[in-house]
Amino acid sequence: MFFLRKKLVPLMVLVMAIFIFAACSSEDESSGASNSSSGSTLTTILERGELVCGVNDNLTGFGVVNSAGEFEGFDIDFCKAVAAAILGDSSKVEYVPLTASARFEALAANEIDLLIRNTTWTASRDRDLGNDFTVPTFYDGQGMMVKASSGYDSIESMAGTTVCVLQGTTTELNLDDRFATNGIPYTPLTFETNDPLQAAYEEGRCDGWTTDKSGLASKRAGFSNPNDHVVLAETLSKEPLGPLTRDNDSEFYDVVQWVVFGMMQAEESGISSSNVSSMASSPSDPGMARLLGVGFDGGEAPDFSFGIEADFMQNVISQVGNYGEVYDRHLVPLGLTREGSLNAQWTDGGLIYAPPFR
Ligand SMILES: N[C@@H](CCC(=O)N[C@@H](CS)C(=O)NCC(=O)O)C(=O)O
């Protein structure tokens, strides 16, 4: 009896272990609806043949649906660039419009692969929300727009006013920092989306509209008479905006990060959509050859592929352009001058800088 028990107990433990392992494995496979069994978003995108990008659909210049019903903008072009790099085709993107408050949950819940929606990199978002910021594509800061006729000319002059602000944003938090901490009384009027917020501002239900300065430039340009509105000179915060992937998804994270860096490097190296094919057939230096995934001076092409085709940057640059082309296409029309700003190249005193392709 004792011997029987001695043999049976380990056997039962083994059987239980197999059951527990099987149950855990099947749970793993069924969770993460849109991810492949390996859990890598890169593999999922390659298998699916499409990138699912979470974006804004209401911010001209960054992410908006145009009159032809197509998504366009600065952020949209980075979705296209990632699709061009992974799938060789910038049109293979499904865009999912998201509000500011819904965006992080959509990424964590696997509803999208990538979030590119004028989203600010902050410590708590990095720490708490199950996502990873890749690299800022636009260095912004928070501003305040008022009606020109109001006479407000500084934040201090706005004591006792009502300020319109969007929920689930850094804007909401910075607003309180700036007013409450400095003893300036104010009333926030918060909204889930921009359209009712804009209506409230236009109807005079709030005295100021605060958000990223790029957003204010976009909204101001959309008014029938932009000169009726003034963006105050003060910048209330730092708002580095850029793409986010899920935590612990490093293959895909690397692709997104190096596509953005590649676009920055292409601009620095003078490679654009109009000359990329001639640069690829005769690169002028080894660094350019590495960026474009070709050999230099008759040498072997380097393996610089991040799990995708080695010449991925050729697809990105020919189909979408370098960083400067994307900036000029979407942000210059909003009056967001690059020269002298943080978004100038590092060689011009800005922060747009790619680590070496080596
Ligand atoms: N960058 C800030 C603000 C992002 C944000 O939602 N901005 C507003 C105004 S620029 C927006 O996108 N509005 C469009 C909408 O929600 O309809 C953040 O990440 O929290």
Side-chain angles (χ1 to χ4, degrees), residues 47-60:
E47 286 171 2
R48 193 199 291 128
E50 197 170 51
L51 168 77
V52 183
C53 212
V55 296
N56 207 325
D57 63 352
N58 194 15
L59 194 61
T60 303

Side-chain angles (χ1 to χ4, degrees), residues 138-343:
F138 187 86
Y139 291 91
D140 210 340
Q142 184 171 334
M144 178 74 74
M145 182 162 66
V146 295
K147 295 202 175 109
S149 58
S150 70
Y152 299 121
D153 59 1
S154 66
I155 298 297
E156 269 67 25
S157 73
M158 294 186 73
T161 56
T162 298
V163 179
C164 278
V165 63
L166 215 59
Q167 285 163 18
T169 57
T170 45
T171 323
E172 204 181 354
L173 311 172
N174 300 327
L175 174 67
D176 201 56
D177 277 2
R178 179 64 180 90
F179 279 71
T181 315
N182 291 287
I184 306 169
Y186 81 107
T187 308
L189 192 56
T190 59
F191 294 86
E192 166 80 18
T193 56
N194 254 5
D195 288 346
L197 185 156
Q198 177 159 343
Y201 170 78
E202 287 184 281
E203 288 159 14
R205 284 194 280 136
C206 50
D207 307 287
W209 177 353
T210 186
T211 186
D212 299 342
K213 279 193 162 175
S214 63
L216 292 178
S218 165
K219 294 299 173 188
R220 185 173 174 273
F223 283 126
S224 49
N225 192 354
N227 291 332
D228 287 351
H229 307 270
V230 181
V231 177
L232 301 182
E234 184 176 332
T235 301
L236 283 70
S237 66
K238 292 193 280 190
E239 306 288 329
L241 313 178
L244 291 73
T245 63
R246 273 179 288 279
D247 264 338
N248 306 315
D249 195 8
S250 60
E251 263 188 313
F252 181 53
Y253 177 96
D254 284 351
V255 168
V256 176
Q257 189 183 52
W258 284 94
V259 165
V260 176
F261 283 146
M263 293 166 79
M264 294 174 178
Q265 184 59 51
E267 178 181 30
E268 188 185 330
S269 303
I271 311 169
S272 67
S273 53
S274 53
N275 67 15
V276 61
S277 54
S278 65
M279 299 286 203
S281 38
S282 56
S284 52
D285 60 68
M288 186 184 287
R290 283 193 293 273
L291 178 68
L292 299 176
V294 296
F296 179 65
D297 216 10
E300 285 279 293
D303 181 15
F304 238 72
S305 60
F306 296 100
I308 52 177
E309 296 296 328
D311 60 357
F312 69 98
M313 278 311 301
Q314 288 189 47
N315 288 329
V316 172
I317 301 164
S318 64
Q319 295 178 34
V320 184
N322 67 32
Y323 178 90
E325 289 180 275
V326 172
Y327 190 105
D328 291 350
R329 190 181 302 142
H330 300 293
L331 303 186
V332 168
L334 296 181
L336 293 168
T337 316
R338 207 174 156 202
E339 202 185 342
S341 81
L342 296 176
N343 298 300

